[in-house]
Amino acid sequence: MLKILYCIYQIFVAFPITILMTIWTAILVGVGCALGNGHYWGYYPGRWWARIVTRAFLLPVTVEGREHLEGNQSYVFVANHQGAFDIFLIYGFLGRNFKWMMKHQIQKIPFVGYACRKSHQIMVDKRGVGAVRRTYTSARHILETGNCSVVVFPEGARSFTGHMGVFKKGAFALADELQLPVVPLTINGSFNVMPRMRDWHFVQWHPLRLTIHQPIYPVGQGSDNVQATMSQAYDSIMSALVPEYQGFVENPDQ
């Protein structure tokens, strides 16, 4: 009975709020970034959009580990990718100004793509060497100019099972090049809320938890540091996953 009531609530309350807030936020981001101070308008409207949507679906959120972060330090955040609500959880509750490194296909999503372009999110484009180079040039510029971080899903795609797949080294190579700390983030609950197989279906009520691990500072520079950082980040994220999703399971989309 509660599940039926929750579905009815989503139809008449949560989904309309999500649609209206997405349109409004996209317009606000576009206008704000056009007027100036893209550092502000590219983050804060999206943060409140994510918080309101999460609350609209009545999903409880717990965040652990914010004390590990320093105030004026730029970071490369890396997180497991359980589902669509990863975006709302990180955007709304990480509490740091950052840019996303995201697939360039997201630009095609109505309103969301517009806001991402206007706020200069980093579009990962692998269609040729030149496109890859532009992606890293954008990320490097953001990290080198101002108190801003980047968030990356190093698996490259959402999980089909809730388990973690293989990490790609791009984010870790970027952190190595700029000698920046990498901060692992563990997401729990997002797969239960909306697994990949259920995109655009009803949300399932489940608590969300974001664990912010201690930063991993570079030790040296080069391939050894990249590999060591990637391995340590993977182990840190895995350590905080609930037992149900512990262990490696291959993601066919990788």
Side-chain angles (χ1 to χ4, degrees), residues 61 92 113 153-154 175 182 188 203 205:
V61 173
F153 295 113
V182 170
N188 280 293
V203 167
W205 188 92

Side-chain angles (χ1 to χ4, degrees), residues 103-208:
K103 291 183 176 180
H104 69 92
Q105 292 93 335
I106 290 177
Q107 298 180 83
K108 299 178 181 179
I109 300 176
F111 297 104
V112 173
Y114 169 79
C116 290
R117 289 192 300 273
K118 287 296 185 179
S119 58
H120 302 292
Q121 305 300 325
I122 304 162
M123 301 297 170
V124 179
D125 191 340
K126 299 179 181 178
R127 297 173 295 181
V129 176
V132 173
R133 188 179 297 117
R134 286 192 295 273
T135 295
Y136 282 95
T137 298
S138 298
R140 189 182 303 110
H141 176 73
I142 287 168
L143 288 165
E144 287 178 334
T145 56
N147 180 24
C148 193
S149 300
V150 297
V151 173
V152 187
F153 295 113
E155 293 166 273
R158 286 169 293 159
S159 171
F160 280 102
T161 64
H163 296 260
M164 281 206 299
V166 176
F167 277 7
K168 295 177 174 64
K169 69 177 182 179
F172 305 96
L174 177 66
D176 175 74
E177 179 182 339
L178 299 178
Q179 290 292 279
L180 289 173
V182 170
V183 178
L185 305 173
T186 300
I187 293 170
N188 280 293
S190 179
F191 185 78
N192 304 82
V193 169
M194 184 177 283
R196 187 168 182 180
M197 309 82 72
R198 293 180 55 84
D199 280 357
W200 313 116
H201 290 267
F202 286 111
V203 167
Q204 304 298 307
W205 188 92
H206 195 280
L208 295 168

